[in-house]
């Protein structure tokens, strides 16, 4: 029998040279590795998505007796109370994401810290009069603008609540991963081996990569990533409005250089996300505060990009629509004007898109930006990550209740199929929108003008879009 | 009565391997190391866990009033007869049960032992023993809360003796779970011709149609040996998706749950839960308070 097993070993190793089950470098480890502590799940990356993933599993009843670890390279951020000034990094949280966060008690913390619900979203073109307005029939909250620090604080609190199940390793960066052979018939450890920067080792039955768009987990697993750097950077800042208002509308205008968005933070403050060319972004950062504020107001109010041709064509189309659908057009409203920018709140970061060809491997799953990266124009980035968490947690919970091996591809593939189906269409659509709105060419402007006006006049289509984006 | 009992036990012990068929053992010897290849020869048994583990789990939960969803089978002692490489023992162990897995083939036990050794929780919860059922009867009288004999009874030499032994090692009102193959024309076509010869879902020669057990006969044998049959469900394997599902008809595969009568010949334990249908609790993610 030992000869049979030796042959099986050899054949097993050869069989693994092809196929999706191969991943990275393999060093078969003997039982020396038994010394490293074994976890059921290790989440690599303690950002919003990684922390939420660990917290969701930690609060799952079927994971009551399991051991979970969260690896975060940065230090622990203590924040029981928020500073008075708003942080410049905010996210638009969809109702679906809010539901996920409330499922393990984090949303209550967010509400007790601070957030701003918005009820309307107006999106319009700089090159024409075309615009589209999204709002719920019952004027319910469409989404919430929340500072990333607030979300992190809420997540940290909920992780503390399950500290007996979830061990958080701060200031710990994983530097190496060793993948197991899929169906081990030899004397090798079946678990994923993780080596930290300080030399400590961990073993895990399932590694979840939530380490951002430059994911090390994805790279080490040799999962192909389709990526593209946009020639755009996003400028963020915290702005103060000229006058207090019922600030419950999210505004976005598509300039030829890129979309500029104003997201409400309070009745007197809003957050800016302005995607534009790298040069313009640097210019905006370098300007004095007055010129910066003037650029913002002009970006929202000026009609310099209009052309008579497009205006006439747009007007004709609009009157045609109003014949067929009298309620189909609405008056374009103007966003509040900006008076001041918070000093020191201006920052910029480059934009890109990315999508991993595979989200899962034997004992590995990618979530959040590690799996997909999208342009901020649709406010979907972190919501896609939260959607990944909801789906993966659902499958892992069922697997745990079935006594299954958590790292088994069987349920990981179900997660991958479900999420890829959802994410690919959204990422592709956002990419198309980004490209479509990056031009001044008349035919494309006409196309998008008519397209936007038509979509605005069709409630069923708008409802579908809203439903898809709020999952 | 007691002396007759001892005599019977001695007789069983002297013909120790009589429920074990040596021809059957040879068949499994060749594949002893293939158990844990999820895409290999035993892939259908791996995917059968998706329905047999919830079946066992939910039946036991429905009969009990005191359990924690994070460790549903905690405190339950299970005997897995014909455990092979431990494919069913491990999930049951993960759910909290103390599992004893027995298999007459030493190589299977070796594979099972090695596979569980890497997981300290499983290594403690599961004990494997190379043995036939008869060999453990004497030392394990009325020891187990549950016996599972999955895909086993179609391989045993003497089914009635097998059932008698199950009864001996099971506590009163303990549960016996059996999954096996029916003896019908359809099971010959699907279970042998298609599964073995055409599609290679099961290694050729694994099953002999003559030894398949119709549910009526199994039920008769169980009822006449102190068991009360509670549930019988048909099972169906879809070779395209590689997954199992429950089916009305029992013409191919089926699962049976029987309960050993109580010490004084009483009937089944009272249902502590108010559910009267045997439906499975949903396995969606729950949150702890």
């Amino acid at each position: 029998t030992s000869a049979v097993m030796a042959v099986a070993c050899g054949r097993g190793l050869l069989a693994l040279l092809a196929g999706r089950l191969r991943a990275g470098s393999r060093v078969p480890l003997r039982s020396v590795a038994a010394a490293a502590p074994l976890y059921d799940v290790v989440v690599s990356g303690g950002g919003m998505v990684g922390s939420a993933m660990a917290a969701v599993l930690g609060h799952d009843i079927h994971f009551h007796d399991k051991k979970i670890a969260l690896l975060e390279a940065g230090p622990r951020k203590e924040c029981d109370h928020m500073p008075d000034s708003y942080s410049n990094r905010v996210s638009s949280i969809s109702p679906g994401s809010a539901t996920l966060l409330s499922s393990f008690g984090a949303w209550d913390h967010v509400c007790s810290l601070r957030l701003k619900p918005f009820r309307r979203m107006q999106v319009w073109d700089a090159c024409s009069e075309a615009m589209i307005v999204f709002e719920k029939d019952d004027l319910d909250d469409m989404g919430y603008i929340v500072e990333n620090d607030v979300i992190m604080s809420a997540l940290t609190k909920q992780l503390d609540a399950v500290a007996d199940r979830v061990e958080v390793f701060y200031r710990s960066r994983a530097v190496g991963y060793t993948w197991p052979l899929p169906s081990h018939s030899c004397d090798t450890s079946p678990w994923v081996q993780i080596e930290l920067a300080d030399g400590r080792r961990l073993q895990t039955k399932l590694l979840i990569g939530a380490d951002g768009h430059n994911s090390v987990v994805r790279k080490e697993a040799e999962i192909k990533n389709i990526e593209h750097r946009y020639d755009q950077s996003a400028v963020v800042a915290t702005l103060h409005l000229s006058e207090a208002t019922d600030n419950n509308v999210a505004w976005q205008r598509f300039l030829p250089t890129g979309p500029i968005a104003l997201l409400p933070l309070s009745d007197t403050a809003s957050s800016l996300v302005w995607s534009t060319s790298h040069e313009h972004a640097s210019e905006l950062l370098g300007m004095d505060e007055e010129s910066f504020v003037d650029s913002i107001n002009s970006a929202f109010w000026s009609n310099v990009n209009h052309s008579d041709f497009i205006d006439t064509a747009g007007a004709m189309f609009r009157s045609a629509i109003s014949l067929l659908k009298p309620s189909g057009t609405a008056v374009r409203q103007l966003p509040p004007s900006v008076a001041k920018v918070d000093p020191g709140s201006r920052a910029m970061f480059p934009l890109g898109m990315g999508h991993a060809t595979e989200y899962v491997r034997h004992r590995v799953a990618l979530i959040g930006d590690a799996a997909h990266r999208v342009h901020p124009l649709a406010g979907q980035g972190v919501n896609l990550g939260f959607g990944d968490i909801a789906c993966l947690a659902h499958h892992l919970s069922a697997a745990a209740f079935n006594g299954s091996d958590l790292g088994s591809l069987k349920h990981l593939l179900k997660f991958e199929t479900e999420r890829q189906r959802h994410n690919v269409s959204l990422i592709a659509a956002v990419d198309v929108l980004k490209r479509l709105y990056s031009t001044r060419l008349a035919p494309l402007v006409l196309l998008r003008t008519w397209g936007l006006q038509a979509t605005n006049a069709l409630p069923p289509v708008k409802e579908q879009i809203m439903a898809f984006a709020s999952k | 009565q007691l002396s007759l009992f001892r005599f019977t036990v001695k007789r069983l012990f002297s013909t120790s391997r009589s429920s074990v068929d040596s021809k059957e053992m040879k068949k499994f010897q060749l594949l002893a190391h293939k158990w844990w290849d999820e895409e290999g020869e035993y892939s259908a048994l791996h995917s059968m866990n998706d329905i047999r583990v919830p079946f066992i789990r939910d039946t036991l939960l429905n009969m009990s009033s005191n359990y924690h969803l994070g460790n549903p089978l905690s405190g339950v002692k299970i005997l897995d007869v014909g455990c092979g490489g431990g494919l069913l023992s491990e999930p049951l162990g993960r759910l909290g049960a103390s599992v004893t897995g027995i298999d007459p083939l030493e190589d299977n036990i070796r594979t099972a032992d090695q596979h569980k050794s890497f997981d300290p929780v499983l290594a403690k919860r599961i004990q494997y023993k190379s043995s036939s059922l008869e060999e453990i009867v004497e030392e394990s009288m009325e020891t187990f809360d549950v016996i599972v004999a999955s895909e086993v009874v179609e391989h045993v030499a003497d089914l009635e003796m097998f059932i008698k032994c199950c009864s001996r090692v099971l506590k009163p009102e303990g549960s016996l779970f059996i999954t096996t193959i029916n003896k019908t024309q359809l099971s010959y076509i699907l279970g042998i011709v298609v599964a073995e010869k055409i599609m290679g879902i099961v290694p050729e020669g694994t099953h002999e149609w003559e030894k398949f057990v119709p549910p009526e006969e199994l039920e008769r044998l169980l009822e006449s040996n102190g068991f009360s049959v509670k549930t019988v469900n048909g099972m169906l394997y879809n070779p395209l998706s590689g997954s199992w599902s429950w089916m009305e008809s029992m013409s191919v595969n089926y699962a049976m749950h029987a309960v050993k009568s109580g010490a004084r010949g009483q009937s089944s334990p009272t249902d502590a839960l108010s559910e009267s249908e045997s439906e499975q609790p949903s396995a969606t993610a729950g949150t702890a308070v």
Side-chain angles (χ1 to χ4, degrees):
Chain A
T1 38
S2 53
V4 171
M5 287 186 72
V7 171
C9 256
R11 222 183 289 147
L13 282 171
L14 280 174
L16 290 161
L17 287 178
R20 89 194 311 268
L21 295 174
R22 184 176 91 102
S25 62
R26 287 182 308 278
V27 177
L29 290 170
R30 309 239 136 216
S31 40
V32 168
L38 173 64
Y39 291 86
D40 292 286
V41 180
V42 168
V43 180
S44 183
M48 285 190 285
V49 174
S51 302
M53 181 85 239
V56 167
L57 292 179
H59 281 83
D60 187 304
I61 195 157
H62 300 303
F63 272 75
H64 189 263
D65 284 2
K66 308 253 184 268
K67 282 176 69 180
I68 304 163
L70 174 64
L71 302 176
E72 165 53 31
R76 179 189 165 100
K77 295 190 194 124
E78 291 297 347
C79 24
D80 252 322
H81 56 274
M82 294 279 103
D84 285 333
S85 58
Y86 288 93
S87 153
N88 60 7
R89 294 306 304 270
V90 307
S91 296
S92 165
I93 301 297
S94 69
S97 299
T99 306
L100 173 76
L101 291 173
S102 60
S103 75
F104 61 96
W107 191 244
D108 287 335
H109 294 309
V110 170
C111 293
S112 67
L113 285 169
R114 58 184 180 217
L115 81 168
K116 188 78 178 68
F118 62 92
R119 300 214 181 97
R120 257 170 113 243
M121 204 192 299
Q122 178 176 299
V123 179
W124 72 111
D125 203 331
C127 300
S128 78
E129 292 285 328
M131 99 171 158
I132 187 167
V133 173
F134 293 101
E135 64 194 335
K136 285 208 173 146
D137 275 333
D138 46 0
L139 292 183
D140 214 2
D141 295 335
M142 269 188 68
Y144 312 89
I145 304 298
V146 190
E147 294 154 272
N148 294 357
D149 285 342
V150 167
I151 298 175
M152 275 312 307
S153 165
L155 293 174
T156 306
K157 234 197 183 113
Q158 286 310 91
L159 281 172
D160 288 343
V162 287
D164 53 339
R165 254 161 273 161
V166 183
E167 214 176 315
V168 185
F169 292 77
Y170 290 104
R171 299 181 193 278
S172 302
R173 202 166 35 91
V175 295
Y177 298 101
T178 308
W179 313 111
L181 306 174
S183 67
H184 74 295
S185 44
C186 323
D187 192 19
T188 62
S189 170
W191 316 126
V192 176
Q193 313 291 325
I194 304 170
E195 191 178 335
L196 301 180
D198 60 7
R200 277 182 299 177
R201 308 189 75 108
L202 309 172
Q203 301 186 83
T204 182
K205 301 177 188 172
L206 173 65
L207 172 69
I208 299 180
D211 43 353
H213 65 260
N214 284 323
S215 168
V216 174
V217 173
R218 187 188 68 222
K219 291 193 184 130
E220 292 278 306
E222 290 181 0
I223 292 176
K224 273 221 192 74
N225 190 41
I226 301 169
E227 56 191 21
H228 176 78
R229 265 189 222 126
Y230 291 129
D231 51 1
Q232 281 184 351
S233 281
V235 172
V236 295
T238 308
L239 306 172
H240 294 277
L241 309 177
S242 310
E243 44 186 52
T245 168
D246 245 347
N247 201 5
N248 54 17
V249 181
W251 310 93
Q252 176 154 287
R253 193 182 198 192
F254 279 102
L255 307 172
T257 47
I260 178 170
L262 208 58
L263 307 171
L265 288 172
S266 73
D267 286 346
T268 53
S270 286
S271 186
L272 173 80
V273 183
W274 191 346
S275 309
T276 184
S277 69
H278 299 304
E279 306 80 45
H280 187 218
S282 311
E283 253 182 70
L284 287 169
L285 246 58
M287 283 178 194
D288 60 281
E289 291 180 9
E290 246 189 71
S291 319
F292 182 66
V293 166
D294 284 342
S295 312
I296 296 173
N297 285 324
S298 142
F300 275 114
W301 293 58
S302 149
N303 284 336
V304 72
N305 282 303
H306 283 207
S307 78
D308 286 333
F309 168 63
I310 298 289
D311 278 351
T312 321
M316 268 174 32
F317 194 70
R318 215 174 37 250
S319 36
I321 290 180
S322 58
L323 282 176
L324 301 166
K325 228 187 169 307
S327 61
T329 60
V331 178
R332 178 156 69 104
Q333 292 188 349
L334 285 168
S337 76
V338 176
K340 200 156 88 58
V341 57
D342 249 357
S345 73
R346 277 185 270 174
M348 68 183 254
F349 51 91
L351 299 177
M353 76 83 109
H355 193 254
T357 50
E358 300 164 88
Y359 287 5
V360 300
R361 282 279 171 81
H362 179 61
R363 300 204 184 285
V364 183
L366 299 175
I367 57 173
D369 281 4
H372 42 71
R373 185 187 182 199
V374 72
H375 195 283
L377 69 85
Q380 287 306 306
V382 79
N383 295 311
L384 287 182
F386 286 139
D388 292 344
I389 293 173
C391 180
L392 183 57
H394 167 85
H395 287 292
L396 288 180
S397 183
F401 195 46
N402 281 352
S404 305
D405 179 352
L406 289 175
S408 163
L409 260 180
K410 222 168 2 160
H411 50 265
L412 292 180
L413 282 173
K414 287 192 199 154
F415 152 74
E416 181 189 71
T417 309
E418 255 184 69
R419 288 311 289 173
Q420 281 195 334
R421 216 181 278 149
H422 177 269
N423 295 344
V424 169
S425 15
L426 193 139
I427 294 169
V430 168
D431 191 61
V432 164
L433 281 177
K434 187 256 170 211
R435 288 169 203 279
L436 182 61
Y437 277 92
S438 298
T439 176
R440 276 198 190 82
L441 294 177
L444 288 170
V445 174
L446 201 57
L447 175 72
R448 73 195 195 208
T449 299
W450 285 348
L452 200 60
Q453 286 175 322
T455 310
N456 195 33
L458 298 169
V461 178
K462 282 207 284 188
E463 265 155 47
Q464 287 281 7
I465 297 175
M466 284 203 297
F468 192 72
S470 61
K471 263 193 264 193
Chain B
Q1 205 179 8
L2 199 61
S3 53
L4 188 66
F5 178 72
R6 251 193 241 130
F7 173 69
T8 320
V9 168
K10 268 219 190 105
R11 225 180 122 247
L12 286 171
F13 193 76
S14 61
T15 52
S16 58
R17 292 187 159 228
S18 54
S19 82
V20 174
D21 190 325
S22 56
K23 254 184 16 209
E24 299 276 358
M25 279 179 59
K26 276 208 195 74
K27 276 190 264 179
F28 285 101
Q29 173 83 51
L30 293 169
L31 297 169
H33 55 281
K34 295 283 189 78
W35 285 101
W36 288 100
D37 182 359
E38 278 187 35
E39 320 282 315
E41 277 85 348
Y42 289 115
S43 64
L45 280 181
H46 276 277
S47 60
M48 198 193 278
N49 277 343
D50 291 342
I51 64 168
R52 60 184 172 173
V53 173
F55 176 57
I56 297 168
R57 173 197 76 207
D58 294 341
T59 307
L60 294 175
L61 289 184
N62 278 335
M63 285 170 30
S64 143
S65 55
N66 187 20
Y67 57 86
H68 188 287
L69 281 176
N71 210 352
L73 300 183
S74 167
V76 180
K77 290 184 73 177
I78 303 184
L79 174 68
D80 183 1
V81 184
C83 63
L87 263 60
L88 183 50
S89 302
E90 289 203 3
L92 295 174
R94 281 195 200 100
L95 292 181
S98 302
V99 184
T100 302
I102 62 170
D103 196 281
L105 205 56
E106 258 182 57
D107 284 344
N108 284 349
I109 296 298
R110 212 187 319 244
T111 304
D113 262 327
Q114 198 216 38
H115 195 264
K116 73 156 193 183
S117 67
F118 292 104
D119 185 337
V121 169
L122 286 184
K124 242 183 10 176
R125 287 196 187 140
I126 308 176
Q127 304 307 320
Y128 291 114
K129 211 165 164 216
S130 169
S131 159
S132 68
L133 181 55
E134 296 87 341
E135 282 167 345
I136 64 155
V137 166
E138 219 182 52
E139 73 216 21
S140 323
M141 301 289 293
E142 299 200 347
T143 306
F144 297 100
D145 300 298
V146 177
I147 298 183
V148 301
S150 181
E151 305 304 297
V152 160
V153 300
E154 69 265 25
H155 297 287
V156 304
D158 184 337
L159 185 53
E160 180 145 28
M161 164 131 59
F162 183 84
I163 291 173
K164 282 188 174 24
C165 292
C166 285
S167 179
R168 302 230 198 289
V169 300
L170 202 53
K171 288 184 188 160
E173 296 176 19
S175 282
L176 172 62
F177 292 92
I178 293 177
T179 78
T180 187
I181 310 178
N182 197 348
K183 189 176 179 183
T184 59
Q185 267 189 348
L186 193 58
S187 74
Y188 181 75
I189 297 169
L190 292 182
I192 302 217
V193 177
V194 174
E196 288 186 16
K197 303 195 200 295
I198 299 182
M199 293 195 69
I201 299 165
V202 176
E204 196 164 339
T206 301
H207 290 126
E208 282 172 48
W209 188 79
E210 282 305 317
K211 299 180 78 173
F212 285 173
V213 184
E216 305 81 38
E217 186 183 324
L218 187 57
E219 195 164 339
R220 181 186 63 78
L221 282 171
L222 286 169
E223 299 270 348
S224 60
N225 281 289
F227 282 95
S228 163
V229 174
K230 298 291 171 192
T231 317
V232 193
N233 283 328
M235 295 160 54
L236 181 68
Y237 182 67
N238 179 341
L240 298 172
S241 65
S243 63
W244 289 87
S245 53
W246 295 111
M247 181 169 74
E248 273 282 342
S249 153
M250 291 177 277
S251 8
V252 191
N253 295 75
Y254 64 94
M256 193 175 278
H257 169 235
V259 173
K260 174 178 168 180
S261 1
R264 294 207 196 110
Q266 279 161 2
S267 52
S268 56
T270 48
D271 253 46
L273 303 175
S274 51
E275 293 171 294
S276 44
E277 329 114 294
S278 62
E279 37 136 44
Q280 297 160 346
S282 88
T284 51
T287 49
V289 172

